Amino acid sequence: MAYSQQQKSYLAIAIAVAFISTSAVMVKLTSAPASIIAMYRLIIATFLMLPIVILRHRGDLMRVSKSDWVFGSLAGVSLAFHFILWFESLNYTSVASSVVLVTLQPLFAFIGTYLFFKEKLSWPAMIGGITAIAGSIVIGWGDFRLSGIALVGDMLALTACAMVTGYLLFGQNVRKRLDLIPYTFIVYGIAAVTLILYNISLTNPFTGYPGSDWMMFGLLAVFPTLLGHSLLNWSVKWVSVNVIAMSILFEPIGASILAYFLLGETLHLMQWIGGGIILTGLFLFTRTYNREPKHIHQKQTIQG
């Protein structure tokens, strides 16, 4: 039985979301500082891409303009701090709260595109955005009632969400001129260098971690980074960004299920209510937002 390219893309998206959903749990299973986890995730991912870049895309890198290097570098720095803040949030709050709050990225993306590109938003999309924000308040209030420390984690997750939006906005125009491989190589490489310098400034040890941590560093680089993100970036050629955006909303579900079985984390009532409100609001937001006029740039909402 032959499958169409679109059907293959749907399968790739399902696999990608499953891989991305493992990211938060893997971070929770490590004992290393958040910035060390992020650093090795990106260093390993960059080195795994190196042979392909040398063999097939060396000329592309030589032709990258100065402005593209600048904006690609800004995207890499933003990605580095996204990972630092998001991974750090997992030390304070649950996987469910952190991952659901990071899925608010489409709302931060609209704020950025409204300020920098003057893109407009329909009333249904605005209602969806307000609904999602209300859901985040519900989660934050529920976590604060349980523990003030959990609320700190929620704030870190929201800040991480804003940083990944910066990563997408800085890279938006660069991605139009560069192929996927050289672009991600530049961004991952700059992010890795940023994290190396950040860890040096904090005097975090680069070695001395148990074998289980090194295994998680490698798994984070391969599955949620190279396979998860790459499959979504490949699929966007064959299906609409609307489908990609909808698929990302399943990440909190997958991450919460894994956290329940592997970490013993359970959801309190306010997380169920707030998470449901957020996902409903984001569903409405992304469906109506991506139906806006064609002059609006398409953006991917990938964070894991």
Side-chain angles (χ1 to χ4, degrees), residues 22-32 37 90-91 95 210 212-217 219-220 258-259 262-264:
T22 65
S23 182
V25 173
M26 287 184 188
V27 172
K28 279 266 193 176
L29 290 172
T30 63
S31 59
I37 301 170
L90 292 165
N91 291 325
V95 167
S212 59
D213 280 4
W214 290 103
M215 180 178 70
M216 288 300 166
F217 298 157
L219 292 175
L220 279 164
L258 287 172
L262 297 178
L263 304 175

Side-chain angles (χ1 to χ4, degrees), residues 61-128:
L61 285 179
M62 298 296 292
R63 290 189 292 270
V64 177
S65 67
K66 290 182 179 179
S67 62
D68 284 350
W69 271 109
V70 170
F71 282 102
S73 297
L74 290 172
V77 172
S78 299
L79 182 63
F81 282 97
H82 159 71
F83 280 136
I84 291 171
L85 293 165
W86 181 41
F87 290 177
E88 191 65 36
S89 77
L90 292 165
N91 291 325
Y92 298 97
T93 192
S94 68
V95 167
S97 290
S98 179
V99 176
V100 168
L101 291 170
V102 170
T103 61
L104 286 168
Q105 186 271 327
L107 301 184
F108 284 89
F110 167 69
I111 294 172
T113 54
Y114 176 79
L115 292 174
F116 295 107
F117 303 113
K118 306 303 180 184
E119 293 182 5
K120 305 299 181 182
L121 191 68
S122 68
W123 275 106
M126 192 173 295
I127 292 171

Side-chain angles (χ1 to χ4, degrees), residues 75 78-79 82 102 104-113 116-117 158-172 299-303:
S78 299
L79 182 63
H82 159 71
V102 170
L104 286 168
Q105 186 271 327
L107 301 184
F108 284 89
F110 167 69
I111 294 172
T113 54
F116 295 107
F117 303 113
L158 283 172
T159 309
C161 184
M163 294 305 298
V164 79
T165 304
Y167 150 64
L168 292 172
L169 290 174
F170 284 128
Q172 180 175 310
K299 291 173 284 296
Q300 299 169 47
T301 56
I302 305 170
Q303 70 277 339

Side-chain angles (χ1 to χ4, degrees), residues 140-241:
W141 175 247
D143 283 349
F144 178 72
R145 290 178 64 188
L146 290 176
S147 166
I149 295 297
L151 184 61
V152 171
D154 294 346
M155 294 300 101
L156 287 170
L158 283 172
T159 309
C161 184
M163 294 305 298
V164 79
T165 304
Y167 150 64
L168 292 172
L169 290 174
F170 284 128
Q172 180 175 310
N173 289 327
V174 181
R175 180 67 183 88
K176 292 177 182 178
R177 292 183 290 276
L178 294 181
D179 288 339
L180 175 64
I181 296 297
Y183 170 72
T184 52
F185 181 77
I186 289 172
V187 172
Y188 289 175
I190 294 296
V193 171
T194 301
L195 286 160
I196 290 170
L197 296 175
Y198 180 84
N199 281 303
I200 290 174
S201 70
L202 294 181
T203 66
N204 284 331
F206 280 40
T207 59
Y209 301 104
S212 59
D213 280 4
W214 290 103
M215 180 178 70
M216 288 300 166
F217 298 157
L219 292 175
L220 279 164
V222 172
F223 290 101
T225 307
L226 294 179
L227 293 179
H229 290 185
S230 296
L231 283 172
L232 287 180
N233 285 319
W234 174 82
S235 300
V236 80
K237 182 178 180 180
W238 310 103
V239 300
S240 71
V241 173

Side-chain angles (χ1 to χ4, degrees), residues 251-267:
E251 181 190 353
I253 299 172
S256 297
I257 292 172
L258 287 172
Y260 175 78
F261 285 105
L262 297 178
L263 304 175
E265 290 189 0
T266 57
L267 302 181

